[in-house]
Amino acid sequence: QKEVEQDPGPLSVPEGAIVSLNCTYSNSAFQYFMWYRQYSRKGPELLMYTYSSGNKEDGRFTAQVDKSSKYISLFIRDSQPSDSATYLCAMIREYGNKLVFGAGTILRVKS
Amino acid sequence: GAGVSQSPRYKVAKRGQDVALRCDPISGHVSLFWYQQALGQGPEFLTYFQNEAQLDKSGLPSDRFFAERPEGSVSTLKIQRTQQEDSAVYLCASRKTLAGGTQETQYFGPGTRLLVL
């Protein structure tokens, strides 16, 4: 079983919808949680970064971490066609160096 | 400023050939990472450098994989006697400082797409 599980999708939504993306993990040592966006044939780009449990909001994006359930989420409000990409969750231990990624969820926002 | 750059962007190799993939990190970044991303999967850690020192190579899949960063800036990932299962995107990332109480962002390059025939 992988350390980080993420539904690969694809997830297809109409423009303007609220999107919910999720990951579960098994290693309680993870302390930092990230969401990366990856467009086709590009490298991952950091979207959101959260330390330990809690919520963080940045524009249309909200990241939530529930360490007690080992569950993290990314919400995208008012989704746009330009949000169509693969969304990767990633996490890392305190003082760690190795990012551990989920498999990525393919998101398609239809206009 | 310039981000992480990688070359070549695409590489086709015949099985058994050796390949060398180059990474130019963001100037001044101390930490450098290599990841391998198979089709439809998330990136998987290969190795980590702090300046010129390779501190973690636990993710290298076999002794055919070798990485170096001799002057603490540019890094090269070399794969000897390539096999079809080596086909993947190889991503390089850099980070400004060492790992500490506050994790800093790893910035990724565009990757090198390797196809072994």
Side-chain angles (χ1 to χ4, degrees):
Chain A
Q1 185 155 355
K2 292 187 175 183
E3 278 189 288
V4 180
E5 297 283 353
Q6 183 177 10
D7 186 336
L11 178 61
S12 188
V13 301
E15 183 175 356
I18 296 174
V19 175
S20 172
L21 304 167
N22 312 292
C23 288
T24 59
Y25 63 96
S26 57
N27 191 339
S28 57
F30 291 134
Q31 293 286 351
Y32 296 88
F33 303 89
M34 297 101 173
W35 287 94
Y36 282 83
R37 178 174 62 194
Q38 187 174 28
Y39 290 113
S40 181
R41 301 187 185 278
K42 302 286 187 184
E45 168 196 16
L46 183 68
L47 273 181
M48 299 290 286
Y49 177 112
T50 310
Y51 172 69
S52 195
S53 285
N55 294 359
K56 186 173 185 179
E57 187 174 322
D58 184 2
R60 296 185 296 113
F61 299 90
T62 299
Q64 290 185 351
V65 175
D66 181 350
K67 289 191 67 184
S68 63
S69 302
K70 297 189 178 67
Y71 187 87
I72 70 170
S73 301
L74 177 71
F75 297 95
I76 307 174
R77 290 182 298 281
D78 188 25
S79 56
Q80 302 296 310
S82 58
D83 294 328
S84 298
T86 297
Y87 289 79
L88 297 155
C89 64
M91 42 204 81
I92 193 168
R93 300 170 179 237
E94 189 93 47
Y95 303 106
N97 293 299
K98 179 173 76 170
L99 279 172
V100 180
F101 284 87
T105 299
I106 297 171
L107 173 66
R108 296 178 182 144
V109 182
K110 300 173 293 184
S111 59
Chain B
V4 178
S5 60
Q6 294 185 245
S7 61
R9 291 294 313 279
Y10 302 91
K11 177 70 178 178
V12 179
K14 291 183 180 178
R15 191 175 56 181
Q17 265 187 321
D18 297 349
V19 298
L21 313 179
R22 178 187 167 106
C23 172
D24 283 83
I26 295 172
S27 178
H29 277 200
V30 168
S31 301
L32 185 144
F33 307 83
W34 285 97
Y35 291 83
Q36 179 190 58
Q37 186 173 22
L39 188 64
Q41 299 299 315
E44 292 198 358
F45 172 83
L46 293 177
T47 188
Y48 159 61
F49 288 86
Q50 178 184 307
N51 295 307
E52 68 278 3
Q54 188 175 21
L55 298 186
D56 187 347
K57 50 183 180 179
S58 62
L60 296 176
S62 76
D63 59 7
R64 296 186 295 105
F65 286 72
F66 172 76
E68 60 183 4
R69 193 186 186 200
E71 297 178 359
S73 55
V74 171
S75 177
T76 303
L77 176 67
K78 297 179 180 178
I79 309 173
Q80 297 177 322
R81 303 181 304 282
T82 52
Q83 304 294 313
Q84 286 185 322
E85 62 263 27
D86 299 335
S87 296
V89 176
Y90 290 86
L91 294 163
C92 176
S94 70
R95 184 178 67 199
K96 187 175 182 181
T97 62
L98 310 177
T102 301
Q103 282 287 348
E104 294 209 12
T105 301
Q106 292 187 24
Y107 294 91
F108 283 83
T112 293
R113 187 174 297 267
L114 173 65
L115 177 62
V116 181
L117 302 176

